[in-house]
Structure formats: structure tokens, C-alpha cells
Amino acid sequence: MNQSARIAAFTIAVAALLMSSLADAKARKPKEILQYIPADTPYVMAFTKPFPDELMDKFEPSMDKMLSAYQRMIRYRLSEHLIELSAQEDGAEKAEQLQRFMDEMLSLLSINGLRDAGIGRDSLFAIYGDGILPVLRIGISDIDKFEATIVRLESEAGEKFLDGELAGKSYRFRDLDKLTLVISTFDKDAVIAVVQAGISDKRLAQKLGIKKPRKILASSKDFERISEEYGFTDHFVSFVDVERVAATFTGDPSGRNTDFLRVLGMNADDTSPVCRSEISDLASVAPRIVVGYTKVDADVLETGMIVELREDIAGGMASLPSVVPGLGADLGGWFSFGFSIDMMAARSFYESRLDALEADPFECEHFADVNASTVKGREALAKPLPPVVYSFRGMLANIANIEGLDVATDKPPESIDASILVAIENAQDLVMMAAMMSPEVAALNLVPDGKAKALDLPQLAAIAEQAFAALSDNGLSVSLGERADANAEAMLTADVAASKPLMSAAFDAKRYYEFVGEAMMEEEAAEDGEQIPLAMRVALRDAMVSSGEMYERMAVNVHLTERGVEVNTRMTLAD
């Protein structure tokens, strides 16, 4: 298989994934896509309901800019490769052919390019495992346009896919060493699948959906239960069944992976029964990861991701978060971040895990290092820690505004409006420790009355006209900039979230992505001495800036609950 054909096989699949990122499900019912997915699939990502047109109208202009930036990145890297290829014997012709192919391929990286390839807003899609190998099924608004696109790509690649037929349905395929890439278009769908070489017609028919699975996800209660339990909308639901993935290599009950493992020279029987059992036990610690939208409208997108945990693990971890005033709220401004931790609860949880491992150590030889780690764990617990460590409860920092900072030139900020809170029991003890090391802190004479006192520190005067600190029984706050005195006091008395977050972050999306984009313009060479070329850095910056244009604010909260680790994200869309 020549280089151009290999690139064609890969990039057509990548293009389909990019196309699906803009798709919705307006024209068809959800079960039309779910009916091809086996009920025991180890993973699935299914978009089954359209986004509102108003939301898509907001997304598409920024998406077009972002795709354009990615085009420039790819073209730059391509130009370097073309120069190397042209220098080889008979390389000029190959370089010219690769250039033509990539021009055709990159034309897809735009809204109009996708539409011209038969991918419209009325397309729904799903990526799922039929066995462990992936299948992409995407609804096509115009099959003829999609077919014509593949034909053009094949032509420019200089080598066509091979043709096959199954139950009266035609498909294209290309061998990729021990795997085969298969592309088929029939009825309303395009299907792109990676299968093991030499797959039987029966299995291939199931992969392509010519023959539907005996038990399908559309009829499975699992999918409905996930949406109901976690409050997901019908727009998108995804899950990874960790236990099913692990079973692929420990004795697959579905039988779908047997031939694939044989091709790789693997066999579950080569793993000892005790190792298979213990691998399964480990998978049961976090048996499933689920993701979905919890709110979708023209102004807000909210998502939830849950790493489900075994009951005893979830119960132990649920005790770890502590009380930090203001944590979990979107404080506005440029960027805020914080976390909470009950250090004594963390110690107890870790100790209970060591107890469990010592009482029932792994017998599988692959986990010998895990057994040995208990010794180091006990040694760490035996080391005394200052009482202040166990008094610590977390922190919260809020940068309301920052001016004059230039990462590219290492220019420090000219001014900062920011506040930070350290949540700690007996906070006055912390101040007394600091006072012993700093005469300036001692001179403040902070007492736990919640009242702000001016900080006269030379190192702060350069970036803030005002600096204040305030102390309570359970917290120390420091605030800089405008209204610093009021902000320092407010940090101590902020509301405590009913459900204590483990971690929280919120930011002005546009300014944040612009900041990250400008940071990418930094000219310092990497550790290996290779510097990212300016053209690439500009394209990366533009991609980041385009991402930020889609949103006004983003907020993320992480909770530890009886169900597991829950990550909730809220994205407020830009007008």
C-alpha cells in the first residue's frame, strides 16, 4: 500500500469525525441510529437530537475560523514534508500528487466543504464499539455528494479502495497491516469501521449494520436508565463500560473480539485465571464512565460526566471535600480556581485502602509492585506532620482583572484585581507562624474579627494600589486592587455550597482563550531545542481565539458523591 493511499484511508476517517462534530439529528428519530449498536457495546458516543438552530447559528462562524486555523497548521507541516519528498529520487511527482490529494482533503475543513460533501445539519451520528474496534455511523443528507467526495479523494491519492459486496450491498476497503478500513454508504448512512483482517462475512455484515445485532442498544434499558438517573437530555449520551473493555482481554463473553485478539497474537487463556479475576476486580472499582448534556438551549450548554465508583470507594471519597466559602460559585471576572480537602478524612481513606490491600493482597504477578507499595504507604503515614497541615481545608483564588501582562515578552502585569482565601481551622495559628518569619505580617496585628487591614508590602505596591488582608477563625484572605478591603472581607463570609465541591473553576472564556493563544506565541525553544515555527504558533493562537469566541463564560465543578466523581460544566454562549 503506497503512502498516498495510506494517507487517504486515514484522513477520510478523520474527516468523517470532523464532519460529525457539526452534525445534529433533525431528520431522523434517535432509535434509527441506536438500532445498529449492540446492547453490550463497551463504549458509545451518540448524538440523537438536534441542537437548536439558534445555537448552531452561533457555533458555525467560530467553527469555520477554527477549521481554517487547523487547515493552516496542516498545510505548514505538509509543506515541510513535501520539500523532503521532492528531494528524493522521483519524489517530485509523488509530492505533486500528495499536494493535490491534501488540497482536496483540506477543502472539507470548512462548513461549506462539509455541506458539499453531503454532511448537513440534518445528520446524526454515533461512534461505538462492535467489540473493542470502533464503528462510526453518520447520517448523510446527500449520499451522491458523499460518494463523489470519496471518489475525488481516491483519485487524488493515486490508488482506489478495493470494492466488495455483501448481501447485495457494496463497500470499499483498504488493508492496513493487520487491520482493514471499511467504508460503506447505503440507505441514509455512511459507515466507517476498523475491522480485523480476514473478518468473516457474517461479522462484517453486523459491523456495517446490514444485519442488526440480536440485542440492540435502542431496546436496552441501560441507555434509558443512564439518561434518567443523571438527568441527561436526548441530545447526546456517551458511556464507556470499563468492565466490558477489561473483559475483552480476560475472556470476552460477547465473542466479538476473539478473531481480533488472535490477529494480534493475544489470547485470554494466556493470562492466568487469578490474573483474569483480579483484573476484573480492578475494573469493578470504576465500572463505568458516563457523559451527557443536562441543559441545551440557545444561551447555555451544561454537561455532566460521572466516573461511577464501587460503593465502598465512592463512600470513602465522598468524605474528602471540606468547607471553603465561595467554592463552587462563579465569581465573575477573569479567572477563579479553588479546591477543598479534609486532610484527616484523606488520611483515613488512604489508610483504609492500605488495610484492605494488606488483608487481601494481589496474587497476580503483574501487581507485585502494588503489593510492595503498601510498605512505602505505611512509612509515609508514620511520618509526623505539623498540626497546621491537618487544619487545612482548601483555598479559593479569584482574579477579577489583570492588565498589562504579556507572556510572550515576560512582561509582568501592570495591575491586578485579585483575591485569595486560605480556609484553615484556627487560622490565627497560621498568621502567627507567618508573623515569626515576616515583621510586616507581625505589624498588621491581624485578629480573627473578619475586618480588613491594609497590607503595606513593597512587593505588592508595584501591581496594586490597594492591598488588604482579613482574618476569621477559619480563614485568611488577601485582596489586591479596587475595593480590596471589601473583597477581603467578602471572601471570608461567602456562601458555602450545599454540596461541597472538591474542585471548582470559572473563567471569562474569550479572555482566557485569548490569553492561552497569546501564550502559545512564546518564542522560547522547547526542552529538546526545537522551536515551534511562527506560522504554526500563529495558527494555534487563532484556533484558541476562535474557540473562545463561542462562549462568554465557562464554569466547572467537581464533586465526590455516593455515585462517584461528578464533573459538571456550564458554558454560557456568546451572543
Side-chain angles (χ1 to χ4, degrees):
M1 182 180 181
N2 66 30
Q3 185 184 46
S4 296
R6 191 179 297 274
I7 292 175
F10 175 74
T11 49
I12 288 174
V14 171
L17 290 174
L18 287 171
M19 294 170 188
S20 64
S21 70
L22 299 171
D24 64 38
K26 187 179 301 183
R28 300 170 65 186
K29 297 178 180 179
K31 287 192 176 182
E32 287 189 59
I33 203 80
L34 299 181
Q35 65 183 322
Y36 298 98
I37 305 175
D40 59 355
T41 181
Y43 57 89
V44 66
M45 180 171 65
F47 283 81
T48 55
K49 184 179 178 179
F51 282 158
D53 283 335
E54 297 91 335
L55 187 152
M56 293 301 293
D57 289 341
K58 291 181 177 181
F59 270 169
E60 287 186 348
S62 297
M63 184 69 73
D64 230 6
K65 292 180 183 179
M66 188 163 55
L67 290 175
S68 176
Y70 284 126
Q71 272 199 50
R72 283 154 41 210
M73 288 185 236
I74 296 171
R75 286 188 186 280
Y76 186 88
R77 287 303 186 196
L78 175 65
S79 66
E80 294 179 326
H81 179 67
L82 291 174
I83 292 171
E84 295 176 1
L85 186 59
S86 297
Q88 299 174 9
E89 185 177 355
D90 299 326
E93 184 178 347
K94 293 179 181 178
E96 184 179 349
Q97 182 181 61
L98 180 58
Q99 177 73 71
R100 291 197 306 270
F101 167 76
M102 289 305 298
D103 285 343
E104 188 69 45
M105 185 73 246
L106 292 175
S107 70
L108 299 176
L109 298 187
S110 69
I111 301 298
N112 288 335
L114 297 177
R115 300 294 180 258
D116 290 342
I119 310 296
R121 282 191 181 184
D122 58 348
S123 298
L124 61 82
F125 81 98
I127 300 172
Y128 56 93
D130 181 15
I132 200 67
L133 290 174
V135 178
L136 166 65
R137 176 175 292 272
I138 179 169
I140 303 297
S141 60
D142 191 320
I143 291 290
D144 291 338
K145 285 185 177 181
F146 188 82
E147 287 279 350
T149 300
I150 293 178
V151 170
R152 290 196 304 272
L153 289 168
E154 285 181 320
S155 175
E156 300 299 353
E159 185 174 343
K160 292 185 63 176
F161 280 74
L162 300 176
D163 295 323
E165 186 174 304
L166 190 62
K169 306 287 186 180
S170 62
Y171 62 91
R172 296 175 173 87
F173 68 96
R174 171 60 58 194
D175 291 332
L176 304 173
D177 298 325
K178 295 180 180 181
L179 299 174
T180 299
L181 178 70
V182 180
I183 301 176
S184 65
T185 54
F186 50 86
D187 297 331
K188 303 175 182 178
D189 295 340
V191 181
I192 301 176
V194 178
V195 303
Q196 68 270 18
I199 188 173
S200 68
D201 286 350
K202 180 180 179 181
R203 285 290 298 118
L204 183 58
Q206 292 175 337
K207 285 271 188 182
L208 300 181
I210 296 172
K211 181 179 179 182
K212 295 178 185 177
R214 186 169 60 87
K215 294 183 178 180
I216 60 176
L217 191 61
S219 301
S220 168
K221 296 296 184 183
D222 287 348
F223 207 72
E224 293 180 6
R225 288 193 190 102
I226 289 174
S227 295
E228 291 175 2
E229 180 176 358
Y230 296 111
F232 293 156
T233 70
D234 292 335
H235 298 86
F236 166 72
V237 176
S238 174
F239 68 77
V240 177
D241 191 309
V242 178
E243 291 180 305
R244 288 175 186 167
V245 173
T248 300
F249 307 97
T250 59
D252 180 17
S254 74
R256 293 191 181 92
N257 299 296
T258 304
D259 292 338
F260 170 57
L261 294 177
R262 187 179 300 117
V263 167
L264 297 181
M266 300 174 63
N267 191 324
D269 292 338
D270 294 338
T271 304
S272 67
V274 67
C275 284
R276 292 202 298 270
S277 175
E278 291 182 347
I279 291 172
S280 297
D281 288 343
L282 280 177
S284 72
V285 172
R288 192 169 61 179
I289 304 168
V290 298
V291 183
Y293 287 112
T294 53
K295 183 176 181 178
V296 174
D297 60 36
D299 299 315
V300 173
L301 284 177
E302 293 182 355
T303 66
M305 181 183 78
I306 302 90
V307 181
E308 298 178 340
L309 296 176
R310 198 174 65 200
E311 185 177 358
D312 60 322
I313 301 296
M317 292 184 66
S319 66
L320 301 186
S322 189
V323 173
V324 176
L327 187 64
D330 186 345
L331 303 178
W334 189 66
F335 181 80
S336 63
F337 171 80
F339 67 92
S340 72
I341 185 73
D342 184 323
M343 296 300 294
M344 284 300 297
R347 178 189 174 95
S348 296
F349 176 73
Y350 181 51
E351 195 167 17
S352 70
R353 292 299 92 206
L354 293 177
D355 291 343
L357 188 56
E358 288 175 341
D360 186 18
F362 288 109
E363 297 180 31
C364 176
E365 66 276 10
H366 300 306
F367 302 134
D369 290 343
V370 179
N371 289 336
S373 69
T374 58
V375 176
K376 293 183 178 179
R378 293 297 184 191
E379 290 175 353
L381 289 176
K383 293 179 180 178
L385 292 175
V388 69
V389 173
Y390 289 108
S391 298
F392 181 73
R393 290 294 178 263
M395 58 80 63
L396 175 62
N398 180 42
I399 302 175
N401 194 25
I402 186 167
E403 298 291 347
L405 176 64
D406 191 334
V407 177
T409 61
D410 290 329
K411 179 185 176 183
E414 297 172 358
S415 66
I416 296 179
D417 292 340
S419 302
I420 184 168
L421 166 72
V422 177
I424 185 169
E425 293 183 358
N426 302 315
Q428 194 167 17
D429 293 345
L430 179 65
V431 174
M432 291 175 63
M433 290 175 59
M436 289 188 290
M437 296 179 286
S438 170
E440 292 89 347
V441 174
L444 286 174
N445 193 28
L446 279 173
V447 294
D449 59 1
K451 302 299 183 181
K453 295 194 175 182
L455 284 173
D456 185 15
L457 299 176
Q459 55 267 45
L460 297 180
I463 58 174
E465 293 184 1
Q466 300 184 53
F468 282 82
L471 183 68
S472 69
D473 289 333
N474 297 312
L476 169 66
S477 64
V478 175
S479 186
L480 310 176
E482 187 178 354
R483 300 187 72 250
D485 52 348
N487 291 335
E489 294 177 3
M491 290 288 280
L492 297 175
T493 58
D495 292 337
V496 174
S499 178
K500 297 175 291 189
L502 175 73
M503 190 178 299
S504 178
F507 51 92
D508 180 322
K510 187 174 186 295
R511 290 190 65 185
Y512 175 79
Y513 281 110
E514 284 177 350
F515 175 80
V516 173
E518 290 301 327
M520 290 179 174
M521 296 296 292
E522 172 61 49
E523 295 184 2
E524 290 185 5
E527 291 182 2
D528 59 4
E530 183 178 353
Q531 189 173 20
I532 300 175
L534 178 62
M536 284 291 290
R537 283 183 274 133
V538 170
L540 284 166
R541 179 200 62 192
D542 292 348
M544 295 301 297
V545 170
S546 299
S547 298
E549 289 177 352
M550 292 187 282
Y551 308 101
E552 285 187 359
R553 295 198 63 78
M554 290 187 179
V556 181
N557 284 302
V558 181
H559 292 87
L560 301 180
T561 72
E562 297 295 332
R563 300 190 298 197
V565 182
E566 303 195 26
V567 183
N568 301 306
T569 303
R570 178 182 174 86
M571 296 162 281
T572 305
L573 304 177
D575 292 329

